[in-house]
Amino acid sequence: MAYGAMMVVSPSSYEEAAAALREASASGKRVRFRGGGTKLDWGNPVPDPEVEISTSRLDRIIDHNAGDLTAVVQAGVPLRRLQDALAERGQMLALDPPPGADDAATVGGILAAGDSGPLRHSYGGPRDLVLGMTVALSDGTIARSGGRVIKNVAGYDLAKLFTGSLGTLGMILEVAVRLHPLPRRTATAIGECDGDPGPVARVASELAHLPLEAERLDAAALSAGRVQAQFAGAAADERAVEAAEVMRRAGLAATVEDGEGMWAAVRSAQRPAGSLVLRVSGLQRQLEAQLGVAGGSSIVARAASGLAWIAVSEGSVEAVESIRRELSPSPSVVLDAPREVREKVSVWGEVTRPAVSLMRNVKSRFDPAGACNPGVFVGGI
Amino acid sequence: MPDLTSELRRICGDDRVVTHPQALRTYESDGLLQYRAVPRIAVLPDDAEEVRRIVTACRDAGVPWVARGAGSGLSGGALPVEEGVLIVLTRLRRILEVDLLDQRVVVEPGVTNLAVSHAVAPTHFFPPDPSSQIVCSIGGNVAENSGGAHCFKYGFTTNYVTGLQLVLADGEVVDVGGKELDVPGYDLVGAFVGSEGTLGVATRITLRVVPRPEATRTLVAFFDHTSEAGQAVSDIVGAGLVPGALEIMDRLSIEAAEGAVHAGYPNDAGAALIVELDGARAECDAAFGDVVSICERNGAAGVRIAEDEAERELIWRARKAAFAAMGRLSPNYYVQDGVIPRTRLPEVLERIDALSREHRLRVANVFHAGDGNLHPLVCYDAAVPGEPERAEELAGLIVAACVEAGGSITGEHGVGVDKKRYMPQMFGEGDLEAFQRLRCAFDPAGLANPGKVMPTPRLCGEVPGPYRQHPLEAAGVAERF
Ligand SMILES: Cc1cc2nc3c(=O)[nH]c(=O)nc-3n(C[C@H](O)[C@H](O)[C@H](O)COP(=O)(O)OP(=O)(O)OC[C@H]3O[C@@H](n4cnc5c(N)ncnc54)[C@H](O)[C@@H]3O)c2cc1C
């Protein structure tokens, strides 16, 4: 292997994956894990790794226990393929992040990146859907935690630790996930309003507190301000009509429709191609401020959870800093950004020191050699 | 430990440091009375700062400690260490903030589970609802990742904790997570929840609460046999319905509960299935008819529908009394907490039946049927020679049957001391070593609740090699991350 070139390994078993990781680590190499390759540059910019271990051949759906609403899948299974297979039995994994180019995003990659979409509103994030996880550590250990049943508290919940760790602790090989029934019937209420984001934000907050149990509830500032609420179940239409009524009362133009197109649009607006994207961990009370952020070319807010994805078409360090000031003190992470911006900006924002030093302890216990994706994470981990 | 005792007295005053052996016996067990140990000292701090100082004093003295909430745990998690300090958190019971707009509550760890729901009523509630919710503490819920009757729909404690203030065993205070979701960094909140007091003390807890459902509809259906009730559950789930609660009681537990609370369950019923639907009214109404007909199709001998809150309470009263009521049928009993994939229910129940006959001991079954969490109650009489041993063996075989069926040794009660010997049935050496890495990252000296969870004692080695600094960090750039 020539100096500077990256060696790519595509193991087809867990043992092979663990061995490749162990060898790379033992020879002091830096390793990155690759799923669909849709979020490889998230995190701090780092030099290219010397070794890349791909999950492209770890792509089997091992088990779909429809009766138990669980599945066991290898990390390299593309989410799209998994959803298609589950849908044949009327089920889904309640995870709908932006699918990436060619629907390439894999289950392992989505978990490692901690990405999520509109279904987050009612089903929680990826952390909430994982029942068990098998990982490879840099010393070649293959470790399982959790289980395959929907309820289990035996042992530490290492799956939570690895979810969102951006490949810095080890390689995710396999996960057991909780499934949900695919709703038979859905209906979406959509309310729109130009200009001032106030009315949209107020309606979204009102809906978040009503016991309507929306399946998804987003507020967005795209070409216009918009709030959309999806309902699922036998009475989906009735509830959507009720929500549309709330929207109208607040002066929004409201309709009820099937809405799948609108949800797809929101999903992709979370990550518009070529834009800089900042994910804000805010609070519900901040919704109006999030939607009104100056310079945001498209803004998608998971209205009830305080999470927002703010895209800027001309991404710059100043743009990031000004958004951060505007939404201070909410933490935020730069997801997509041109390399030159990424090199100058603080990707992870401020993180308090004691928490970072605890995270370092975790890193050095799981990956003492520092082989796994070094440098990309919070605090330079 | 004279030095440590006087240091603790300096921190908390004489009244809140207990050293008299008689007084210490109050704390010798948690909810699992089979295990007993008297700590050297018990101390009752008033606030997080006192906890920090206590933990620091223990660190300086090299003395292990155990945190204790309400002591209702069922796995011996709060069992004291004989040479150690017991940190009793019941005085930390302030509700620090109720932020309904953002659907968050910030509490001290000693606040009871029910008090959280009360604090946000009537518009919101805190979904995890262990049967012990009147007494058990949020700190205990966090440590055990407690569940309850409504987890099939709503999930467990871990799905509702967004932030924690922790006192680590080295005396450091660390805030992890926050009111916000997806706070940058490792999900240390997720790693801490369910860690059974072995990673530190949670001194401030931020919880997510949700709007109270618009409607709740409850029924109990009676069957001749648990397998019919089990099939009804499978059909309900198969129809894509997600009830708030799905609970089954078998013949023996009905008999015990009925004797205790007179909820009007027929004494000859072989099984009772409680189904509770909650959510949007239109949705509940639409689904309720389906549930009734599924029960009837599976041979329900009778279906009782709660027409008002009083009738709903009556239906639940039997279920909630089931554990305590076993005392009427048997002087002693063991509660197990195994989980199975729900579809394996019939065969596992048959296996439990067979084991029960072989061991000549009765086993009652109460379970969270939606998520396959069984609570077999193994009845025995400690006064009869040989029975306790047989009961223990039987309980162990039931756990093994759950694991063999692809399940777990514990669904909500935790491993504690009671189930640590079963851990190797679920986890291999590499898996256990990976758990230990987390433990060592938080508490390398092993002072926090030692002897729990892990099947054999383990030490933490030094981290091999220095922490490898990233070039950006070395250059001082990392300061800005
Ligand atoms: C009748 C009965 C019914 C029950 N029903 C259920 C049920 O339906 N579902 C269920 O899940 N459980 C149930 N339980 C078990 C028990 O109530 C729960 O495990 C509960 O969460 C324990 O809370 P506690 O405050 O009593 O904790 P304790 O028993 O005092 O402690 C439990 C563990 O938590 C640790 N701990 C306590 N506080 C802290 C803290 N602040 N920081 C760190 N660690 C801490 C302790 O060290 C110990 O390891 C039941 C128990 C009884 C007696």
Side-chain angles (χ1 to χ4, degrees):
Chain A
M1 192 185 74
Y3 178 79
M6 181 165 37
M7 185 170 89
V8 179
V9 197
S10 305
S12 57
S13 71
Y14 303 158
E15 290 70 24
E16 274 174 39
L21 176 54
R22 186 192 61 232
E23 276 163 35
S25 159
S27 49
K29 302 220 164 69
R30 288 171 292 114
V31 185
R32 169 172 82 190
F33 310 111
R34 182 192 189 95
T38 63
K39 296 178 276 286
L40 278 180
D41 55 3
W42 281 16
N44 301 324
V46 293
D48 272 345
E50 290 135 315
V51 177
E52 186 173 84
I53 307 181
S54 157
T55 57
S56 61
R57 294 169 68 200
L58 295 173
D59 65 343
R60 278 193 314 123
I61 298 174
I62 294 172
D63 238 332
H64 175 196
N65 302 307
D68 294 311
L69 289 160
T70 59
V72 180
V73 302
Q74 294 189 323
V77 175
L79 179 64
R80 177 73 271 151
R81 177 148 72 77
L82 176 62
Q83 299 290 29
D84 289 344
L86 300 174
E88 282 172 28
R89 310 279 301 274
Q91 299 186 349
M92 64 171 178
L93 173 59
L95 197 54
D96 58 348
D102 305 322
D103 284 353
T106 59
V107 172
I110 291 167
L111 291 179
D115 205 9
S116 61
L119 284 172
R120 175 85 183 242
H121 173 72
S122 47
Y123 298 96
R127 77 189 288 280
D128 299 298
L129 298 167
V130 180
L131 305 171
M133 191 179 268
T134 306
V135 298
L137 304 180
S138 58
D139 65 359
T141 304
I142 295 174
R144 279 174 197 277
S145 58
R148 293 181 171 201
V149 277
I150 59 180
K151 197 172 185 190
N152 165 40
V153 295
Y156 296 124
D157 197 346
L158 298 185
K160 295 244 178 357
L161 199 61
F162 276 72
T163 300
S165 67
L166 228 47
T168 57
L169 295 176
M171 180 177 181
I172 300 175
L173 301 170
E174 180 191 291
V175 289
V177 287
R178 175 169 194 176
L179 307 176
H180 288 88
L182 257 183
R184 302 238 165 112
R185 211 183 154 69
T186 65
T188 295
I190 297 172
E192 287 195 322
C193 173
D194 276 331
D196 173 23
V200 163
R202 277 192 293 280
V203 168
S205 301
E206 187 178 345
L207 291 175
H209 286 272
L210 287 179
L212 280 172
E213 296 205 330
E215 185 91 341
R216 319 189 209 192
L217 174 61
D218 277 0
L222 305 173
S223 47
R226 185 201 286 171
V227 52
Q228 49 189 53
Q230 182 186 51
F231 299 91
D237 298 85
E238 253 172 79
R239 289 149 68 208
V241 166
E242 210 178 310
E245 213 30 67
V246 174
M247 295 173 183
R248 270 185 216 112
R249 273 203 300 274
L252 272 58
T255 53
V256 171
E257 51 185 89
D258 148 76
E260 275 315 313
M262 293 301 218
W263 290 108
V266 164
R267 277 175 82 191
S268 32
Q270 225 176 280
R271 259 194 108 184
S275 298
L276 178 148
V277 177
L278 196 67
R279 186 186 67 210
V280 181
S281 294
L283 294 170
Q284 226 183 97
R285 67 173 73 230
Q286 204 184 27
L287 185 57
E288 183 172 345
Q290 289 175 345
L291 294 175
V293 150
S297 51
S298 69
I299 299 166
V300 176
R302 219 93 310 137
S305 70
L307 291 169
W309 285 256
I310 299 177
V312 185
S313 43
E314 297 296 321
S316 65
V317 176
E318 297 70 48
V320 172
E321 284 171 357
S322 108
I323 294 172
R324 283 196 166 138
R325 265 194 309 277
E326 220 174 312
L327 298 179
S328 166
S330 296
S332 61
V333 182
V334 175
L335 300 179
D336 296 307
R339 183 146 190 133
E340 59 280 9
V341 175
R342 194 175 281 286
E343 264 162 8
K344 289 194 220 101
V345 83
S346 158
V347 169
W348 297 98
E350 305 266 338
V351 180
T352 61
R353 202 156 287 282
V356 172
S357 73
L358 184 54
M359 288 174 203
R360 285 214 174 99
N361 292 347
V362 170
K363 166 76 174 182
S364 47
R365 290 288 172 179
F366 280 86
D367 178 25
C372 300
N373 221 2
V376 300
F377 207 55
V378 171
I381 287 172
Chain B
M1 272 185 266
D3 289 354
L4 182 57
T5 309
S6 48
E7 177 60 19
L8 296 180
R9 293 214 155 102
R10 255 196 304 282
I11 298 167
C12 292
D14 292 351
D15 292 355
R16 293 189 277 117
V17 178
V18 183
T19 52
H20 193 281
Q22 210 47 44
L24 285 170
R25 292 205 47 192
T26 314
Y27 304 111
E28 67 182 357
S29 300
D30 62 2
L32 186 63
L33 304 174
Q34 279 93 340
Y35 297 88
R36 269 169 214 196
V38 176
R40 182 67 72 87
I41 310 171
V43 53
L44 289 81
D46 251 343
D47 57 28
E49 173 57 13
E50 287 186 0
V51 174
R52 185 191 67 76
R53 292 173 65 197
I54 293 165
V55 170
T56 307
C58 290
R59 174 203 68 188
D60 292 343
V63 169
W65 49 269
V66 177
R68 177 182 167 112
S72 73
L74 292 175
S75 54
L79 183 74
V81 173
E82 273 172 0
E83 290 308 302
V85 172
L86 188 74
I87 307 177
V88 183
L89 297 160
T90 43
R91 295 173 65 95
L92 275 75
R93 51 166 72 236
R94 279 159 291 236
I95 292 176
L96 301 172
E97 190 187 347
V98 176
D99 173 4
L100 286 187
L101 191 54
D102 296 312
Q103 304 185 327
R104 295 290 185 277
V105 187
V106 185
V107 298
E108 289 186 331
V111 170
T112 63
N113 173 290
L114 198 59
V116 175
S117 272
H118 282 162
V120 298
T123 49
H124 292 69
F125 79 115
F126 178 62
D129 61 339
S131 308
S132 51
Q133 68 185 153
I134 306 172
V135 295
C136 68
S137 74
I138 286 296
N141 294 172
V142 166
E144 302 288 6
N145 186 16
S146 299
H150 291 80
C151 358
F152 180 60
K153 172 172 176 181
Y154 289 99
F156 320 100
T157 302
T158 190
N159 307 112
Y160 294 90
V161 183
T162 64
L164 293 170
Q165 179 188 69
L166 305 176
V167 174
L168 303 184
D170 64 0
E172 276 286 316
V173 178
V174 184
D175 281 290
V176 295
K179 276 188 181 177
E180 301 87 355
L181 302 178
D182 291 358
V183 170
Y186 296 132
D187 184 359
L188 299 179
V189 172
F192 189 90
V193 176
S195 63
E196 306 193 22
T198 62
L199 300 183
V201 188
T203 46
R204 194 172 63 214
I205 300 167
T206 306
L207 300 167
R208 185 167 68 88
V209 293
V210 300
R212 183 166 282 283
E214 185 181 24
T216 304
R217 308 234 24 208
T218 310
L219 65 74
V220 55
F222 301 104
F223 298 87
D224 287 339
H225 203 274
T226 43
S227 62
E228 295 164 350
Q231 189 55 47
V233 170
S234 287
D235 291 353
I236 290 168
V237 175
L241 303 176
V242 186
L246 281 163
E247 300 281 309
I248 294 180
M249 296 169 68
D250 74 353
R251 184 183 302 279
L252 202 54
S253 49
I254 294 173
E255 187 188 324
E258 201 39 45
V261 299
H262 310 291
Y265 284 31
N267 256 324
D268 59 346
L273 166 64
I274 300 176
V275 185
E276 185 157 284
L277 288 167
D278 66 8
R281 186 176 311 280
E283 219 54 68
C284 280
D285 290 347
F288 201 68
D290 294 348
V291 170
V292 173
S293 43
I294 287 171
C295 290
E296 283 167 353
R297 207 176 332 120
N298 281 289
V303 177
R304 206 168 97 197
I305 296 169
E307 299 297 345
D308 54 32
E309 188 52 30
E311 290 185 22
R312 172 175 177 253
E313 295 244 313
L314 198 60
I315 289 176
W316 275 108
R317 198 179 301 159
R319 167 63 187 85
K320 297 215 164 167
F323 285 10
M326 280 325 284
R328 305 174 71 86
L329 293 189
S330 171
N332 306 90
Y333 62 89
Y334 246 117
V335 187
Q336 280 299 0
D337 181 39
V339 187
I340 54 167
R342 192 177 25 71
T343 48
R344 310 283 299 269
L345 191 63
E347 61 191 283
V348 174
L349 289 183
E350 245 167 61
R351 173 97 184 107
I352 294 176
D353 246 6
L355 287 169
S356 150
R357 280 193 306 273
E358 275 166 36
H359 287 75
R360 290 169 286 122
L361 291 172
R362 294 189 297 174
V363 178
N365 256 306
V366 188
F367 47 96
H368 307 301
D371 37 40
N373 189 188
L374 307 181
H375 287 316
L377 300 147
V378 177
C379 303
Y380 68 98
D381 184 347
V384 177
E387 274 207 13
E389 292 76 17
R390 276 209 323 278
E392 199 185 325
E393 185 184 297
L394 171 54
L397 290 169
I398 291 174
V399 170
C402 292
V403 176
E404 256 166 56
S408 166
I409 61 175
T410 173
E412 55 183 16
H413 295 167
V415 176
V417 279
D418 190 45
K419 298 186 203 75
K420 61 181 186 174
R421 69 201 137 160
Y422 304 137
M423 284 288 274
Q425 293 182 24
M426 264 183 92
F427 300 108
E429 187 49 34
D431 309 336
L432 295 170
E433 271 302 313
F435 290 150
Q436 181 67 8
R437 291 174 196 243
L438 182 70
R439 174 102 222 260
C440 294
F442 276 75
D443 175 22
L447 294 179
N449 212 3
K452 313 289 167 70
V453 183
M454 298 298 262
T456 47
R458 282 158 211 259
L459 296 176
C460 300
E462 288 297 308
V463 179
Y467 172 76
R468 208 166 93 174
Q469 232 179 7
H470 184 263
L472 288 175
E473 223 184 324
V477 187
E479 287 295 306
R480 300 188 304 130
F481 292 135

